[in-house]
């Protein structure tokens, strides 16, 4: 009975998760007259594939810009977090715990509280609006969480490994580059997935610093697709939402098992 109850709970949970996906999918093939709330659960009377073509035409340039945003911002923030985590876990300099606490403080500052000061700072620095400004924002805001993940992981690395590198004459940078970095793949997978998802789904930073739909990421283009016309075309909007969600879905399907393993890799020391 217990096993049957667990399977029943899993099936119910799966149905609750898939219901919105079903509504998105069937609505993406409905025409303007067919996308009526009274027919939400029904299949299209006539399958309209033009919604997908229209959504792709509207979103394709923004998708390319979004990849140009999320890839460098994820890699840069991961590398900076890795170096910070190694220093804070293995180099016990005076005030290390205070520095670590101050870095983590950035995780608890709401984005909304800093939008105006951050915008003024970027304008004073003459950072171009659009992808360059968004890369800088996501790198800076990604450092606290990446530092935390890498520090916890490096705390679990055996001290004997670090001591052996020192005996061989390796300094701090050489130890990091030749010994620690090659075994950091689990944490890099976690951080890259985290940062990729955060940057891909971001709308607030894109709204303030994206430079409009012509220079901004795909979230702005999707918002424009949904609200640009006098009469909302629900079919094209739903098709666009599915297109935009595919990259993050593929990333989680391909790397999901490594994500869980990476999160657990720093939970046990030694």
């Amino acid at each position: 009975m217990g096993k049957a109850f667990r399977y029943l709970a899993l099936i119910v949970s799966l149905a609750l998760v898939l219901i919105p996906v079903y509504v998105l999918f069937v609505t993406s093939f409905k025409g303007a007259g067919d996308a009526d709330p009274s027919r939400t659960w029904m299949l299209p009377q006539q399958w309209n594939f033009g919604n997908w073509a229209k959504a792709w035409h509207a979103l394709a340039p923004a998708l390319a810009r979004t990849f140009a945003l999320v890839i460098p911002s994820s890699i840069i923030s991961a590398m900076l977090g890795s170096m910070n985590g190694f220093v804070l876990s293995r180099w016990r300099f005076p005030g290390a715990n205070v520095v670590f606490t101050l870095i983590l403080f950035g995780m608890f500052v709401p984005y909304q509280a800093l939008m105006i000061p951050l915008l003024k700072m970027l304008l004073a620095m003459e950072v171009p609006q659009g992808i360059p400004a968004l890369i800088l924002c996501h790198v800076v805001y990604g450092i606290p969480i990446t530092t935390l993940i890498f520090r916890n992981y490096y705390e679990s690395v055996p001290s004997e490994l670090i001591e052996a590198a020192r005996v061989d004459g390796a300094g701090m940078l050489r130890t990091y580059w030749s010994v620690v970095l090659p075994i950091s793949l689990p944490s890099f997978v976690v951080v890259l997935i985290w940062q990729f998802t955060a940057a891909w789904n971001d709308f607030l930073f894109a709204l303030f610093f994206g430079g409009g739909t012509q220079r901004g990421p795909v979230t702005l283009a999707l918002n424009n697709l949904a609200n640009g016309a006098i009469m909302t075309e629900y079919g094209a909007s739903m098709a666009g939402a599915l297109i935009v969600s595919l990259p993050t879905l593929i990333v989680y399907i391909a790397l999901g098992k490594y994500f869980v393993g990476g999160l657990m890799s720093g939970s046990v020391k030694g």
Side-chain angles (χ1 to χ4, degrees):
M1 291 295 295
K3 187 175 181 180
F5 178 78
R6 287 195 297 269
Y7 276 108
L8 179 62
L10 288 173
I11 292 173
V12 172
S13 301
L14 180 63
L16 291 175
V17 171
L18 291 181
I19 283 174
V21 179
Y22 167 78
V23 174
L24 280 172
F25 184 76
V26 297
T27 307
S28 68
F29 291 99
K30 293 180 179 180
D34 198 14
D36 187 87
S38 62
R39 293 183 48 83
T40 298
W41 307 103
M42 301 180 185
L43 294 175
Q45 294 177 333
Q46 183 176 1
W47 293 80
N48 183 2
F49 294 89
N51 292 331
W52 285 79
K54 181 176 181 179
W56 176 258
H57 178 75
L59 299 177
L63 282 170
R65 291 194 297 269
T66 307
F67 277 110
L69 160 66
V70 299
I71 293 175
S73 63
S74 300
I75 294 175
I76 295 172
S77 60
M79 288 301 302
L80 292 176
S82 175
M83 290 185 285
N84 288 343
F86 174 68
V87 170
L88 292 171
S89 64
R90 295 298 176 177
W91 185 26
R92 299 299 183 183
F93 59 91
N97 291 332
V98 176
V99 172
F100 181 57
T101 302
L102 292 176
I103 292 176
L104 292 186
F105 183 73
M107 296 173 54
F108 305 103
V109 178
Y111 293 178
Q112 297 85 344
L114 297 179
M115 287 296 104
I116 302 301
L118 189 57
L119 178 60
K120 292 183 177 180
M121 186 186 72
L122 291 177
L123 291 175
M125 295 171 59
E126 299 183 355
V127 178
Q129 292 285 297
I131 301 304
L134 291 174
I135 290 176
L136 179 60
C137 291
H138 283 291
V139 167
V140 172
Y141 266 89
I143 288 177
I145 184 64
T146 58
T147 300
L148 174 64
I149 292 174
F150 277 108
R151 181 182 182 273
N152 290 343
Y153 177 75
Y154 292 147
E155 286 283 355
S156 67
V157 174
S159 301
E160 292 80 3
L161 193 62
I162 307 299
E163 293 298 329
R166 291 178 179 175
V167 170
D168 289 338
M172 184 179 65
L173 293 179
R174 185 66 176 177
T175 301
Y176 169 75
W177 186 259
S178 300
V179 178
V180 175
L181 191 60
I183 62 174
S184 303
L185 181 60
S187 291
F188 268 102
V189 171
V190 173
V191 166
L192 290 175
I193 292 177
W194 186 287
Q195 288 298 104
F196 183 95
T197 306
W200 187 276
N201 294 329
D202 171 68
F203 180 74
L204 187 60
F205 277 151
L207 186 63
F208 271 77
F209 313 117
T213 56
Q214 299 302 316
R215 292 189 293 169
V218 73
T219 49
L220 288 183
L222 181 61
N223 181 70
N224 187 61
L225 177 65
N227 302 315
I230 297 177
M231 180 178 180
T232 302
E233 298 185 40
Y234 292 105
S237 299
M238 300 303 171
L242 289 172
I243 292 173
V244 172
S245 65
L246 278 178
T248 52
L249 179 63
I250 293 173
V251 167
Y252 272 100
I253 291 175
L255 302 175
K257 60 180 180 179
Y258 303 106
F259 182 77
V260 176
L263 284 176
M264 297 299 296
S265 61
S267 61
V268 179
K269 186 174 181 179

